[in-house]
Structure formats: C-alpha cells, structure tokens
Amino acid sequence: IFVPFGGFMALFIIGIVYWMSRERLSPKAELDLAIRNREFIVHYQPIVELETGICFGAEALVRWLRPDGTLVRPDLFIPIAEETGLIMPITNQVVEIVIAELKSLLVNERTLHIAINLCAEDITTGRILDFLDGKLQSTGIHREQIWLEITERGLVDIDAARVTLRRARQAGHAVAIDDFGTGYSSLQYLQGLPIDALKIDKSFVDTIGKDSATSSVILHIITMSQELGLLSTAEGVETEDQAAFLRARGVNFAQGWLFSRPLPAKEFIGFHKNNKET
Ligand code: C2E
Ligand code: CA
Ligand code: CA
Ligand code: CA
C-alpha cells in the first residue's frame, strides 16, 4: 500500500515544485522563454480600399499563444517586451511568420501589402531593415509589398529614426505613422520624419456622427494628410456610417470590424480571394 502512495506523493511534490518554479519566473523570464519556444502567432486584419472595397492588404498583429492554450493580447506583453529589451526578437519573429505564411500569396498578388508594427528600438537601431532584407531575399516578395507602421511611443532619437526611415523608403518600403493624433508630438513627427501614410486612430473614428467638436479634429487630420500628399488609413471602423463619412472625404483605406476582425492566415487568404480586383 505504501509503494503507490509514495509514487503519488513523489509526483505531487514534483508537481508543486514545477508549479512554484513557474510562478517565480519574472515577466521578463517568461517572455524570454516564449521567444525561445516561438510561442507567438500572427493574425491579419484586412485593410480595404474605401472607394472600391477591394482588399489592399492586411496589418500583421501578434498574439502570444501560451502552452496552456491561452491567447495573450499584444497590449499585455508588448509594453513589457519594450521595457525589458525583448521587443526586437519579437518583431523579427513576426517578420518570419508573415513570410512563411503569406509568401506565395504575396508573390502571386503583387498589389497586396502587409503592414508590420515596429517599436522605437527597431526604428532607432534600424537593425530590422537588415533583418527584413535578409529574409526577403530570394522569396520573390517585393519590398514595396511590406509597409512599416511606426508609433511615436518611446521614440526619442528623431535623428536616428530619420536615418532608418530614409533607408526603409529607399529600399522600397512605405512608412506609416500609427495611432496618429494620440501622442503629444504627432505634428512634430509629421514634419521631421520621411513618411508615406497616416493611420487615423480609432479614437477619432469613434467620434464620427457623435461629437461635433472632436469629429472636426478628424476632418482636420484628413485635410492635413491630403495637403501633405500622404495616404490615409482609418482604423477601428465599425459602422457603415463611419465608412461612408471617411469615403466621402477621400480617406484611402480602412480597417475595422465592419470589414473583418483580425484573421488567421488561412482565413485572410480566403477574405482576399473574395475581395480582390477582378
Ligand atoms: P494598433 O496598431 O493600433 O492595432 C489596431 C488594434 O485595433 C488591434 O488590436 C486590432 O485588433 C484592433 N481593432 C481593429 N479594428 C477594430 C475595430 O473595429 N474595433 C475595435 N474595438 N478594435 C479594433 P490588437 O491586435 O489587440 O493590437 C493592439 C496593439 O498591439 C496594436 O495596436 C499595436 O500597437 C500592438 N501590436 C500588435 N501587434 C504588434 C507587433 O507585431 N509589434 C508591435 N510592436 N506591436 C504590435
Ligand atoms: Ca499598427
Ligand atoms: Ca494603429
Ligand atoms: Ca490604435
């Protein structure tokens, strides 16, 4: 009777020790492990051309799929990755996943684009460009098909950013300022950085048809982007009224639940098939 009981106790103790050792991992150590075990997946949110409804491409949005099956939203781990110096390997893995999952689609559909989110450290060091360059080589994907989204969050060294973005555009990538209008210094970045497009933050899209004071802010953003010769993408478009408002004012692209939630690669490929130029 003691032998099975002893075996059970041993297993129980091993279990407790394992559980305690997991619990003691710091967020940084956990993320570090997730990077080494490649626990990240990418969903693709379609970006459509407002005028035609045609699929222009998608934004690559990372998620952390933990071994226990839970899916962690990026706002819960990207800030930690940024603070602990672990963001660059995550950006790199996103690039690798995008290429692995969408290479044949991108090679066959030259008018399709994928936007990748960069962090301040990616932009300041510029190493992401070398990484992208190496990974794109011999895939047949054109540089023009990869857009880069940058936020002003944490971006301090504007001179370094300017150097990286110039290189990116010379290589053929388009650069978009993300979450435009939400930071403290959007206008300064607009003036100081070489960019191609603006992403109008969801908080402004939300005001359409609601609050006349703030919805006049979105009108100014749209006008300004047109006067500067930039393309514009509205994010977080949820209603037909919002889409109609944006379309009437000449906003180029939109993404949001009205068109589609972020999708796994296979489903995005299906979305594109149903919404492409014929
Ligand atoms: P973001 O770049 O502003 O991405 C748009 C977010 O809005 C996504 O959340 C998307 O799922 C959500 N969204 C899109 N359409 C709608 C809509 O119609 N209604 C509502 N309520 N939400 C909508 P998600 O995927 O949770 O990503 C959150 C943020 O995490 C992103 O905001 C981006 O800043 C960051 N992020 C995501 N993937 C990456 C990545 O690969 N690298 C980096 N550095 N950051 C990432
Ligand atoms: Ca983005
Ligand atoms: Ca955004
Ligand atoms: Ca946003």
Side-chain angles (χ1 to χ4, degrees), residues 45 59-63 73-75 78 87 94 117-119 149 153 178-179 202 235-238 255-258 262:
Q45 185 171 40
E59 176 176 3
L61 294 160
V62 72
R63 281 99 182 76
R73 285 169 26 204
D75 8 338
I78 293 285
I87 191 64
V94 169
N117 289 286
L118 301 187
C119 284
E149 294 191 5
R153 190 156 43 99
D178 207 353
D179 301 329
K202 177 176 188 300
E235 62 178 29
V237 178
E238 293 180 347
Q255 66 186 97
W257 295 352
L258 174 64

Short mmCIF file of all heavy atoms in Angstrom, two decimals, residues 45 59-63 73-75 78 87 94 117-119 149 153 178-179 202 235-238 255-258 262, ligand 1:
data_model
loop_
_atom_site.label_atom_id
_atom_site.label_comp_id
_atom_site.label_asym_id
_atom_site.label_seq_id
_atom_site.Cartn_x
_atom_site.Cartn_y
_atom_site.Cartn_z
N GLN A 45 -5.35 41.55 -40.04
CA GLN A 45 -6.60 42.29 -40.19
C GLN A 45 -6.63 42.95 -41.57
O GLN A 45 -5.77 43.77 -41.90
CB GLN A 45 -6.78 43.35 -39.11
CG GLN A 45 -8.16 44.01 -39.26
CD GLN A 45 -8.52 44.91 -38.12
OE1 GLN A 45 -7.68 45.67 -37.62
NE2 GLN A 45 -9.78 44.86 -37.70
N GLU A 59 -2.86 44.21 -41.84
CA GLU A 59 -1.89 44.53 -40.80
C GLU A 59 -1.61 43.26 -40.02
O GLU A 59 -2.52 42.53 -39.63
CB GLU A 59 -2.47 45.60 -39.85
CG GLU A 59 -1.52 45.88 -38.68
CD GLU A 59 -2.00 47.01 -37.76
OE1 GLU A 59 -3.10 47.55 -38.00
OE2 GLU A 59 -1.26 47.33 -36.82
N ALA A 60 -0.33 42.98 -39.81
CA ALA A 60 0.07 41.81 -39.03
C ALA A 60 0.01 42.17 -37.54
O ALA A 60 0.65 43.12 -37.10
CB ALA A 60 1.49 41.39 -39.41
N LEU A 61 -0.79 41.41 -36.79
CA LEU A 61 -0.98 41.68 -35.36
C LEU A 61 -0.58 40.45 -34.56
O LEU A 61 -1.13 39.37 -34.75
CB LEU A 61 -2.43 42.06 -35.08
CG LEU A 61 -2.89 43.39 -35.73
CD1 LEU A 61 -4.40 43.47 -35.84
CD2 LEU A 61 -2.33 44.58 -34.95
N VAL A 62 0.38 40.64 -33.67
CA VAL A 62 0.95 39.49 -32.96
C VAL A 62 0.08 39.10 -31.77
O VAL A 62 -0.61 39.93 -31.18
CB VAL A 62 2.39 39.82 -32.50
CG1 VAL A 62 2.41 40.81 -31.36
CG2 VAL A 62 3.16 38.55 -32.13
N ARG A 63 0.06 37.83 -31.44
CA ARG A 63 -0.56 37.28 -30.23
C ARG A 63 0.39 36.28 -29.61
O ARG A 63 1.15 35.64 -30.34
CB ARG A 63 -1.86 36.54 -30.53
CG ARG A 63 -3.08 37.43 -30.75
CD ARG A 63 -3.36 37.64 -32.21
NE ARG A 63 -4.48 38.53 -32.46
CZ ARG A 63 -4.45 39.87 -32.34
NH1 ARG A 63 -3.33 40.48 -31.97
NH2 ARG A 63 -5.50 40.60 -32.59
N ARG A 73 -3.25 39.02 -25.45
CA ARG A 73 -3.32 40.18 -26.34
C ARG A 73 -2.01 40.95 -26.33
O ARG A 73 -1.34 41.04 -25.32
CB ARG A 73 -4.45 41.10 -25.90
CG ARG A 73 -5.83 40.58 -26.24
CD ARG A 73 -6.92 41.39 -25.54
NE ARG A 73 -6.47 42.74 -25.25
CZ ARG A 73 -6.98 43.51 -24.28
NH1 ARG A 73 -7.91 43.04 -23.49
NH2 ARG A 73 -6.54 44.74 -24.10
N PRO A 74 -1.68 41.58 -27.47
CA PRO A 74 -0.39 42.27 -27.54
C PRO A 74 -0.26 43.42 -26.54
O PRO A 74 0.84 43.65 -26.04
CB PRO A 74 -0.34 42.80 -28.97
CG PRO A 74 -1.72 42.68 -29.50
CD PRO A 74 -2.39 41.59 -28.76
N ASP A 75 -1.35 44.12 -26.22
CA ASP A 75 -1.18 45.24 -25.27
C ASP A 75 -0.76 44.74 -23.90
O ASP A 75 -0.34 45.54 -23.06
CB ASP A 75 -2.41 46.16 -25.16
CG ASP A 75 -3.64 45.66 -25.87
OD1 ASP A 75 -3.48 44.85 -26.80
OD2 ASP A 75 -4.73 46.10 -25.50
N ILE A 78 3.47 43.46 -25.20
CA ILE A 78 4.38 44.32 -25.98
C ILE A 78 5.04 45.40 -25.09
O ILE A 78 6.25 45.60 -25.16
CB ILE A 78 3.65 44.96 -27.18
CG1 ILE A 78 3.26 43.89 -28.21
CG2 ILE A 78 4.49 46.05 -27.83
CD1 ILE A 78 4.38 43.35 -29.05
N ILE A 87 11.89 43.41 -27.37
CA ILE A 87 10.96 43.65 -28.47
C ILE A 87 11.55 43.25 -29.83
O ILE A 87 10.84 42.75 -30.70
CB ILE A 87 10.45 45.11 -28.48
CG1 ILE A 87 9.28 45.26 -29.45
CG2 ILE A 87 11.55 46.12 -28.83
CD1 ILE A 87 8.06 44.48 -29.08
N VAL A 94 7.80 38.00 -35.91
CA VAL A 94 6.61 38.39 -36.68
C VAL A 94 6.96 38.41 -38.18
O VAL A 94 6.23 37.86 -39.01
CB VAL A 94 6.06 39.76 -36.21
CG1 VAL A 94 5.00 40.28 -37.18
CG2 VAL A 94 5.48 39.65 -34.80
N ASN A 117 4.17 46.18 -37.53
CA ASN A 117 4.33 47.19 -36.47
C ASN A 117 5.76 47.19 -35.93
O ASN A 117 6.27 46.15 -35.51
CB ASN A 117 3.37 46.89 -35.31
CG ASN A 117 1.93 47.16 -35.69
OD1 ASN A 117 1.51 48.31 -35.78
ND2 ASN A 117 1.17 46.09 -35.93
N LEU A 118 6.37 48.37 -35.92
CA LEU A 118 7.72 48.50 -35.36
C LEU A 118 7.67 49.29 -34.06
O LEU A 118 6.78 50.12 -33.85
CB LEU A 118 8.65 49.23 -36.34
CG LEU A 118 8.83 48.62 -37.72
CD1 LEU A 118 9.91 49.39 -38.48
CD2 LEU A 118 9.21 47.14 -37.64
N CYS A 119 8.64 49.01 -33.19
CA CYS A 119 8.75 49.76 -31.94
C CYS A 119 9.92 50.73 -32.03
O CYS A 119 10.75 50.65 -32.94
CB CYS A 119 8.99 48.81 -30.79
SG CYS A 119 7.48 47.98 -30.36
N GLU A 149 4.76 50.21 -39.92
CA GLU A 149 3.99 51.15 -39.09
C GLU A 149 4.84 51.54 -37.89
O GLU A 149 5.38 50.69 -37.19
CB GLU A 149 2.69 50.49 -38.60
CG GLU A 149 1.74 50.19 -39.74
CD GLU A 149 0.33 49.80 -39.26
OE1 GLU A 149 0.06 49.84 -38.05
OE2 GLU A 149 -0.47 49.45 -40.14
N ARG A 153 5.47 56.38 -29.66
CA ARG A 153 5.66 55.89 -28.30
C ARG A 153 7.12 55.47 -28.08
O ARG A 153 7.63 54.59 -28.74
CB ARG A 153 4.74 54.68 -28.08
CG ARG A 153 4.63 54.20 -26.67
CD ARG A 153 3.31 53.44 -26.49
NE ARG A 153 3.04 52.56 -27.63
CZ ARG A 153 3.28 51.25 -27.62
NH1 ARG A 153 3.79 50.68 -26.57
NH2 ARG A 153 3.01 50.53 -28.69
N ASP A 178 1.53 55.42 -37.07
CA ASP A 178 0.44 54.70 -36.44
C ASP A 178 -0.22 55.58 -35.37
O ASP A 178 0.43 56.47 -34.83
CB ASP A 178 1.01 53.44 -35.79
CG ASP A 178 -0.01 52.33 -35.68
OD1 ASP A 178 -1.19 52.56 -35.99
OD2 ASP A 178 0.40 51.23 -35.27
N ASP A 179 -1.47 55.29 -35.06
CA ASP A 179 -2.17 55.96 -33.96
C ASP A 179 -2.04 57.47 -34.06
O ASP A 179 -1.89 58.16 -33.04
CB ASP A 179 -1.62 55.49 -32.60
CG ASP A 179 -1.77 53.98 -32.42
OD1 ASP A 179 -2.74 53.42 -32.96
OD2 ASP A 179 -0.91 53.38 -31.76
N LYS A 202 -8.35 54.96 -33.95
CA LYS A 202 -9.74 54.59 -33.71
C LYS A 202 -10.48 55.62 -32.85
O LYS A 202 -11.67 55.85 -33.05
CB LYS A 202 -9.76 53.23 -33.01
CG LYS A 202 -11.14 52.75 -32.64
CD LYS A 202 -11.11 51.36 -32.03
CE LYS A 202 -12.51 50.81 -31.85
NZ LYS A 202 -13.34 51.63 -30.95
N GLU A 235 -8.50 53.47 -38.80
CA GLU A 235 -8.57 52.18 -38.10
C GLU A 235 -9.75 52.13 -37.13
O GLU A 235 -10.27 53.16 -36.72
CB GLU A 235 -7.25 51.89 -37.38
CG GLU A 235 -6.89 52.87 -36.31
CD GLU A 235 -5.58 52.49 -35.60
OE1 GLU A 235 -4.71 51.87 -36.22
OE2 GLU A 235 -5.48 52.83 -34.43
N GLY A 236 -10.19 50.92 -36.85
CA GLY A 236 -11.30 50.75 -35.92
C GLY A 236 -12.65 51.17 -36.51
O GLY A 236 -13.53 51.64 -35.79
N VAL A 237 -12.82 50.99 -37.81
CA VAL A 237 -14.10 51.33 -38.46
C VAL A 237 -15.10 50.21 -38.17
O VAL A 237 -14.87 49.06 -38.54
CB VAL A 237 -13.92 51.52 -39.98
CG1 VAL A 237 -15.26 51.82 -40.64
CG2 VAL A 237 -12.90 52.61 -40.26
N GLU A 238 -16.17 50.57 -37.48
CA GLU A 238 -17.13 49.55 -37.04
C GLU A 238 -18.49 49.69 -37.69
O GLU A 238 -19.28 48.75 -37.68
CB GLU A 238 -17.28 49.59 -35.51
CG GLU A 238 -16.00 49.16 -34.78
CD GLU A 238 -16.12 49.18 -33.26
OE1 GLU A 238 -17.09 49.76 -32.75
OE2 GLU A 238 -15.21 48.63 -32.61
N GLN A 255 -9.66 49.87 -41.98
CA GLN A 255 -9.68 48.53 -41.39
C GLN A 255 -10.56 48.61 -40.16
O GLN A 255 -10.67 49.66 -39.52
CB GLN A 255 -8.27 48.05 -41.05
CG GLN A 255 -7.56 48.81 -39.94
CD GLN A 255 -6.12 48.38 -39.75
OE1 GLN A 255 -5.21 49.01 -40.28
NE2 GLN A 255 -5.90 47.33 -38.98
N GLY A 256 -11.19 47.53 -39.83
CA GLY A 256 -12.07 47.52 -38.67
C GLY A 256 -13.06 46.39 -38.77
O GLY A 256 -13.15 45.71 -39.79
N TRP A 257 -13.81 46.22 -37.69
CA TRP A 257 -14.71 45.08 -37.59
C TRP A 257 -15.80 45.11 -38.65
O TRP A 257 -16.37 44.08 -38.98
CB TRP A 257 -15.31 45.00 -36.18
CG TRP A 257 -14.26 44.73 -35.13
CD1 TRP A 257 -12.94 44.41 -35.35
CD2 TRP A 257 -14.43 44.76 -33.71
NE1 TRP A 257 -12.29 44.23 -34.16
CE2 TRP A 257 -13.17 44.45 -33.13
CE3 TRP A 257 -15.52 45.03 -32.86
CZ2 TRP A 257 -12.98 44.39 -31.75
CZ3 TRP A 257 -15.33 44.96 -31.49
CH2 TRP A 257 -14.07 44.64 -30.94
N LEU A 258 -16.12 46.32 -39.17
CA LEU A 258 -17.10 46.40 -40.25
C LEU A 258 -16.68 45.50 -41.42
O LEU A 258 -17.52 44.86 -42.05
CB LEU A 258 -17.25 47.85 -40.74
CG LEU A 258 -18.13 48.08 -41.96
CD1 LEU A 258 -19.59 47.71 -41.66
CD2 LEU A 258 -18.05 49.53 -42.43
N PRO A 262 -9.28 40.68 -37.08
CA PRO A 262 -8.01 40.05 -37.45
C PRO A 262 -8.21 38.54 -37.62
O PRO A 262 -8.92 37.92 -36.82
CB PRO A 262 -7.11 40.37 -36.24
CG PRO A 262 -7.71 41.60 -35.63
CD PRO A 262 -9.19 41.44 -35.82
P1 C2E B 1 -2.75 49.02 -33.33
O1 C2E B 1 -1.50 49.01 -34.14
O2 C2E B 1 -3.45 50.33 -33.19
O3 C2E B 1 -3.68 47.90 -33.95
C1 C2E B 1 -5.06 48.02 -34.06
C2 C2E B 1 -5.77 47.34 -32.92
O4 C2E B 1 -7.16 47.65 -33.00
C3 C2E B 1 -5.69 45.82 -32.98
O5 C2E B 1 -5.70 45.33 -31.64
C4 C2E B 1 -7.00 45.44 -33.65
O6 C2E B 1 -7.41 44.11 -33.37
C5 C2E B 1 -7.94 46.46 -33.04
N1 C2E B 1 -9.09 46.71 -33.90
C6 C2E B 1 -9.11 46.69 -35.25
N2 C2E B 1 -10.32 47.01 -35.73
C7 C2E B 1 -11.10 47.25 -34.65
C8 C2E B 1 -12.49 47.64 -34.50
O7 C2E B 1 -13.23 47.82 -35.46
N3 C2E B 1 -12.94 47.81 -33.23
C9 C2E B 1 -12.15 47.63 -32.14
N4 C2E B 1 -12.67 47.81 -30.94
N5 C2E B 1 -10.83 47.25 -32.25
C10 C2E B 1 -10.33 47.07 -33.49
P2 C2E B 1 -4.65 44.23 -31.18
O8 C2E B 1 -4.49 43.21 -32.23
O9 C2E B 1 -5.11 43.79 -29.82
O10 C2E B 1 -3.32 45.03 -31.06
C11 C2E B 1 -3.15 46.03 -30.07
C12 C2E B 1 -1.88 46.80 -30.26
O11 C2E B 1 -0.73 45.99 -30.02
C13 C2E B 1 -1.69 47.33 -31.68
O12 C2E B 1 -2.45 48.50 -31.84
C14 C2E B 1 -0.20 47.57 -31.72
O13 C2E B 1 0.12 48.80 -31.12
C15 C2E B 1 0.32 46.45 -30.84
N6 C2E B 1 0.83 45.36 -31.70
C16 C2E B 1 0.15 44.37 -32.29
N7 C2E B 1 0.97 43.57 -33.00
C17 C2E B 1 2.23 44.09 -32.86
C18 C2E B 1 3.52 43.72 -33.34
O14 C2E B 1 3.72 42.74 -34.09
N8 C2E B 1 4.56 44.51 -32.96
C19 C2E B 1 4.37 45.61 -32.16
N9 C2E B 1 5.45 46.32 -31.85
N10 C2E B 1 3.19 45.98 -31.70
C20 C2E B 1 2.11 45.23 -32.02
#
